[in-house]
Amino acid sequence: MTADVVIIGAGPYGFAAATEIHRRGFKVTAIGRPFETWHEHTLDRMLLRSDARASTIWSADDRWNLPGYLAERGITQNRELPVDTFRAYLRAVTDAAPFQLHEGLVERLDAVDGGFRVTWDGGEPVTARAVVVATGMGGHQVLPEVIAALPPERVVHSWDTQAIQKLTDQSVLVIGGGQSAAESVEDLMERNRVTWALREAPLFFREPLRAPTPIFKAMLATSRLLFQLPPPILRAVSRATFRTTITPRLKAVYEDDRVETLIRDAEGLGLSLADDGSITDTDGRRYNTVVSATGFRHTVAGFSFLAPSVASAVGSPDGPPPVDRAFESGQPGLFFIGGVAESVHGPAMRFVVGCRHSAIRVADRIERNLGGSSSAAA
Ligand SMILES: Cc1cc2nc3c(=O)[nH]c(=O)nc-3n(C[C@H](O)[C@H](O)[C@H](O)COP(=O)(O)OP(=O)(O)OC[C@H]3O[C@@H](n4cnc5c(N)ncnc54)[C@H](O)[C@@H]3O)c2cc1C
């Protein structure tokens, strides 16, 4: 199989980029599990933090406008959209994909003859002239050393929401001070005894960024201009506005009598394996399970499908692959989009709202590199 461009990943970033590159006349194949993060790695009771406008899967003709989708179905556009409603919207987007979409996972990416060979688990390899990696946060989970040292069967990362939703009648320790920790505690406390350990008292804030609502809205509206800022200034904006925050709705969880809260970091808990196989802390509490809501950090090593020669061309294993203003990496023709590019393209890359910017920048560069639309395009 051949394509001009393979997109690895079928989340918001992969979808927007595939749609835009296809629109410009290139033959695009996307490989991934459509919107997997939203279908399989969010809790069923979750409410979105971004509003409908900022959660739209971008396309140049705005065909997937989420406020319009909701209005057509008579769904009130309250600020916090239930994830189930969003999942239904994403299924409709998936069904309408204009490009070739293969449901599966890429196992290996090799650089061959000035292009790439993409080996995946559902069919023959695909060769392409350019590849866009849009695989999100999966594979980049952070487990502090003290938690990684515990027996793996006692530890669940907050990424594994399916496992969290199954925990019942247990003593559970949740570690972390962000939205995922708060949502995990909210879900778990209905069926379990929960202790919640946070490094510092949580910051309850309406927006996912620490910026007052009008400023956050202005940032969204002017995000196209923000992306023009030189990277050092963009980084300074990120530092000024980004701190882990939790939606105010979840303050009730923090204050709930059923939840024991400890202001202590993972190291300060002194976790170890007890004689009976449970986990114990320095105060003698016993836990069946530790939920590590300790976030994500993109590293080259976390992209396990990169062939060794490609991995070494894109960066050092312990850091994110450096990308330029068009998201192209040190391996010509290979792009990385989404949260992985946050240090160059700013904090919007962590959210659905950033997918417009990356789709346009990548499509512009591909058009320049591949010299106009493909003769192979349908
Ligand atoms: C619990 C939670 C709540 C969130 N809430 C919000 C919110 O309210 N608003 C918001 O804007 N953002 C929110 N986010 C952030 C959200 O993840 C991003 O906004 C968005 O989903 C990122 O899109 P993406 O395309 O970069 O990655 P993802 O959505 O993570 O998609 C990754 C894609 O890559 C695929 N993939 C992975 N590995 C491979 C492989 N080896 N081969 C092929 N495909 C692969 C997956 O199958 C999937 O299709 C939340 C995230 C989480 C975890």
Side-chain angles (χ1 to χ4, degrees), residues 227-246:
F227 293 129
Q228 310 297 329
L229 294 173
I233 298 181
L234 200 53
R235 274 197 289 277
V237 172
S238 305
R239 272 198 302 275
T241 53
F242 194 80
R243 201 197 121 185
T244 304
T245 62
I246 300 175

Side-chain angles (χ1 to χ4, degrees), residues 67-358:
Y69 169 94
L70 297 174
E72 268 172 32
R73 286 155 185 79
I75 300 170
T76 319
Q77 290 174 46
N78 51 349
R79 270 189 57 84
E80 297 192 309
L81 196 65
V83 75
D84 258 354
T85 308
F86 191 55
R87 287 171 178 167
Y89 159 77
L90 295 174
R91 277 192 288 274
V93 172
T94 304
D95 290 345
F99 48 85
Q100 185 172 50
L101 174 62
H102 291 316
E103 200 164 332
L105 291 179
V106 168
E107 293 171 337
R108 190 171 163 105
L109 176 66
D110 290 281
V112 287
D113 306 330
F116 298 92
R117 186 177 56 243
V118 185
T119 308
W120 64 295
D121 62 4
E124 18 167 324
V126 188
T127 55
R129 294 196 279 164
V131 167
V132 180
V133 176
T135 47
M137 299 175 289
H140 302 274
Q141 297 90 320
V142 169
L143 271 190
E145 265 176 47
V146 289
I147 302 178
L150 301 173
E153 65 276 13
R154 294 277 173 207
V155 176
V156 177
H157 191 276
S158 57
W159 178 244
D160 195 352
T161 49
Q162 316 266 349
I164 290 173
Q165 290 180 143
K166 283 187 193 136
L167 293 174
T168 304
D169 293 331
Q170 296 209 10
S171 176
V172 184
L173 170 65
V174 178
I175 299 177
Q179 184 76 8
S180 291
E183 286 176 1
S184 301
V185 172
E186 180 188 37
D187 183 77
L188 288 162
M189 69 188 217
E190 303 294 339
R191 309 177 304 277
N192 302 275
R193 293 173 304 286
V194 180
T195 304
W196 183 5
L198 314 89
R199 185 179 284 142
E200 55 189 0
L203 180 64
F204 293 99
F205 212 79
R206 220 166 124 90
E207 310 299 349
L209 295 182
R210 191 188 48 166
T213 306
I215 294 180
F216 179 73
K217 289 211 154 156
M219 284 169 82
L220 282 187
T222 57
S223 56
R224 294 158 72 169
L225 303 176
L226 270 182
F227 293 129
Q228 310 297 329
L229 294 173
I233 298 181
L234 200 53
R235 274 197 289 277
V237 172
S238 305
R239 272 198 302 275
T241 53
F242 194 80
R243 201 197 121 185
T244 304
T245 62
I246 300 175
T247 32
R249 180 182 74 78
L250 293 167
K251 196 169 186 185
V253 172
Y254 184 66
E255 292 169 352
D256 195 296
D257 289 343
R258 288 170 293 173
V259 178
E260 182 183 17
T261 54
L262 304 171
I263 302 296
R264 223 176 287 173
D265 62 15
E267 290 71 24
L269 289 163
L271 299 177
S272 61
L273 186 62
D275 296 343
D276 63 357
S278 65
I279 305 298
T280 181
D281 65 17
T282 40
D283 301 330
R285 295 180 193 82
R286 300 269 169 136
Y287 308 106
N288 306 106
T289 302
V290 175
V291 173
S292 190
T294 40
F296 303 83
R297 194 168 65 88
H298 282 101
T299 61
V300 170
F303 295 100
S304 56
F305 52 83
L306 297 179
S309 62
V310 176
S312 55
V314 300
S316 60
D318 297 337
V323 294
D324 66 13
R325 302 283 282 173
F327 296 85
E328 195 164 6
S329 70
Q331 171 77 47
L334 180 59
F335 298 77
F336 288 85
I337 59 174
V340 62
E342 186 188 355
S343 64
V344 178
H345 292 270
M349 295 295 110
R350 286 175 177 233
F351 304 99
V352 177
V353 72
C355 68
R356 173 189 187 279
H357 167 71
S358 53

